[in-house]
Amino acid sequence: MTKVHNFSAGPSILPREVVEATIEGIRDFAGTGLSILEVSHRSKEFVAVVEETQAIIKELMNLPEGYEVIFLGGGASMQFLMLAYNLLETKAAYTKTGVWAANAIKEAKAFGEINVIGSSEDKNYSYIPKGYEIPSDVDYFHCTSNNTIYGTQMKSFPDSPVPLVCDMSSDILSREVDASKFSLIYAGAQKNMGPAGVTVVIIKKDILGKVSRKIPSIMNYALHIEKESMFNTPPVISIFSMLQNLKYIKKVGGVKEMQRKSEERAALLYAEIDSNPLFRGSVAVEDRSNMNACFVLEDETLEEKFNSAWKAAGISGIKGHRSAGGYRASMYNALPLESVQVLVDVMRNFNK
Ligand SMILES: *Cc1c(COP(=O)(O)O)cnc(C)c1O
């Protein structure tokens, strides 16, 4: 097999040893003689997996006391409505920074009044809105830390007078954040944490129980916390595989090391985008994402030639999202610097 450089936006690259550890669990899970595909989620061996996964997330993210970690199905998209179900009594504030943020707003509107206090829709989501004020009379403020489709990233988080809720799907565990600033963090696992199928929800417990509506059981954070993610059958294999990846991250140096690597990858690629006359970055320089680098060809007629060049180098998954166009190189935690170097070499040679 020739080496594939996997820049996929999600599901995305995992370290080979995580894939191997998952395969091993499929063969024989924890010495049970059973495959992880066929064990009860209530078996003591799998309950131990859930507990270890919670503990390692708390450790990697340096979560203070009072935070709970649960594992749910339904993707980050289900959280768009679930968080509103649980937290929105009358009004909430949102920033609208991309397709995912817009979807979150759309779903929450069913539960109350949504105040969009910052938006970059006017310029096709090519920057992060700044200078907005978070009202103190809303139930929470929701933001998206990294806009996967457009390639913008919040470089800092506001001090919020109300609970801060964040969709961190595409940059969780890629940089150190002060978790104590947030009341709720959620992330689909399939970008930086593991395979698709599980969503991690981190909740500061004291924000729950404040809405007057009746919350259906399956939508109720408090119930999932009480049942330790076993209210219904959780995505067993996804959690198992995610744990293998979290252990790997811890082993190689934790979030600090993930941040160092992501900065190194991003610096290498953006330097080429900025110095190569054939390419142009798609978003405001100060808001560039270290995870998803979006760029376009200055001359679109070169597209076919460029596509052939990167494909020939074994690069996979850099076509831009259908709603943004151009190119998007997703550089999640597991992407080796070497893969970025291959892309940079292709761009450089293409210019020559
Ligand atoms: C991918 C993504 C989503 C959607 O995740 P699903 O698990 O497919 O629902 C939501 N928000 C962000 C920021 C994403 O990158």
Side-chain angles (χ1 to χ4, degrees):
M1 247 168 33
T2 49
K3 169 119 181 120
V4 178
H5 300 284
N6 185 1
F7 288 86
S8 171
S12 48
I13 185 165
L14 287 168
R16 190 65 216 176
E17 77 174 74
V18 170
V19 175
E20 296 297 337
T22 306
I23 292 169
E24 190 43 44
I26 291 172
R27 285 211 187 88
D28 178 10
F29 167 55
T32 56
L34 299 172
S35 168
I36 185 71
L37 298 173
E38 56 181 4
V39 293
S40 167
H41 59 297
R42 300 192 192 281
S43 63
K44 76 172 188 318
E45 291 84 3
F46 186 70
V47 169
V49 166
V50 168
E51 286 170 355
E52 188 178 357
T53 312
Q54 287 167 330
I56 201 167
I57 288 174
K58 285 183 177 172
E59 184 185 340
L60 287 170
M61 296 200 56
N62 205 5
L63 292 181
E65 283 296 303
Y67 285 78
E68 301 282 347
V69 180
I70 53 174
F71 308 118
L72 303 174
S77 299
M78 194 174 85
Q79 294 312 307
F80 298 160
L81 79 128
M82 192 164 174
L83 71 92
Y85 236 129
N86 285 264
L87 306 177
L88 180 49
E89 179 75 4
T90 54
K91 280 191 285 186
Y94 278 68
T95 44
K96 194 175 183 186
T97 53
V99 166
W100 301 120
N103 287 352
I105 291 167
K106 180 168 160 248
E107 297 301 316
K109 275 185 175 165
F111 301 91
E113 188 187 324
I114 302 303
N115 187 352
V116 177
I117 59 173
S119 171
S120 51
E121 197 179 8
D122 58 338
K123 290 189 180 157
N124 199 30
Y125 300 121
S126 60
Y127 67 100
I128 295 288
K130 293 166 201 89
Y132 49 80
E133 203 163 312
I134 303 167
S136 54
D137 66 341
V138 295
D139 299 319
Y140 62 86
F141 167 60
H142 179 283
C143 60
T144 310
S145 57
N146 182 71
N147 298 286
T148 325
I149 294 174
Y150 299 90
T152 60
Q153 186 174 31
M154 293 175 76
K155 300 297 170 186
S156 63
F157 295 96
D159 289 314
S160 175
V162 294
L164 179 57
V165 174
C166 187
D167 177 358
M168 280 195 196
S169 292
S170 53
D171 67 355
I172 193 165
L173 301 179
S174 73
R175 57 172 165 168
E176 292 184 296
V177 294
D178 176 2
S180 70
K181 275 192 145 182
F182 300 87
S183 292
L184 189 136
I185 293 170
Y186 62 99
Q190 69 271 23
K191 278 122 190 179
N192 262 322
M193 282 192 294
V198 59
T199 303
V200 174
V201 185
I202 298 164
I203 307 166
K204 195 174 179 190
K205 232 180 146 181
D206 68 9
I207 63 165
L208 298 177
K210 304 216 167 128
V211 293
S212 55
R213 76 174 60 84
K214 193 162 164 33
I215 304 169
S217 305
I218 192 86
M219 286 286 130
N220 193 337
Y221 287 135
L223 192 59
H224 286 284
I225 292 169
E226 183 195 321
K227 302 287 183 191
E228 294 175 10
S229 301
M230 301 277 179
F231 166 70
N232 66 322
T233 316
V236 172
I237 176 101
S238 303
I239 295 171
F240 175 79
S241 186
M242 177 169 70
L243 174 60
Q244 309 314 309
N245 191 41
L246 297 172
K247 288 197 322 203
Y248 177 84
I249 290 174
K250 184 176 162 183
K251 188 181 80 179
V252 299
V255 176
K256 199 185 175 86
E257 175 64 7
M258 293 302 111
Q259 176 166 343
R260 190 193 65 76
K261 285 191 162 162
S262 96
E263 285 166 357
E264 198 178 20
R265 286 187 300 255
L268 178 61
L269 183 52
Y270 285 120
E272 183 60 25
I273 290 170
D274 289 340
S275 61
N276 189 321
L278 295 183
F279 299 95
R280 177 165 41 89
S282 314
V283 305
V285 172
E286 73 272 19
D287 300 325
R288 281 174 167 175
S289 167
N290 283 352
M291 296 280 99
N292 315 92
C294 293
F295 56 97
V296 294
L297 272 165
E298 291 283 9
D299 176 358
E300 279 181 20
T301 64
L302 294 175
E303 191 176 318
E304 254 176 56
K305 269 191 181 165
F306 180 57
N307 291 350
S308 312
W310 57 259
K311 282 174 193 163
I315 287 169
S316 160
I318 66 162
K319 282 246 18 121
H321 187 271
R322 58 193 180 281
S323 58
Y327 297 93
R328 169 176 56 169
S330 296
M331 302 179 283
Y332 297 122
N333 280 345
L335 187 78
L337 185 64
E338 174 210 340
S339 291
V340 181
Q341 188 61 57
V342 169
L343 174 57
V344 164
D345 290 344
V346 167
M347 293 166 80
R348 213 168 274 171
N349 290 333
F350 195 58
N351 184 39
K352 275 191 200 148

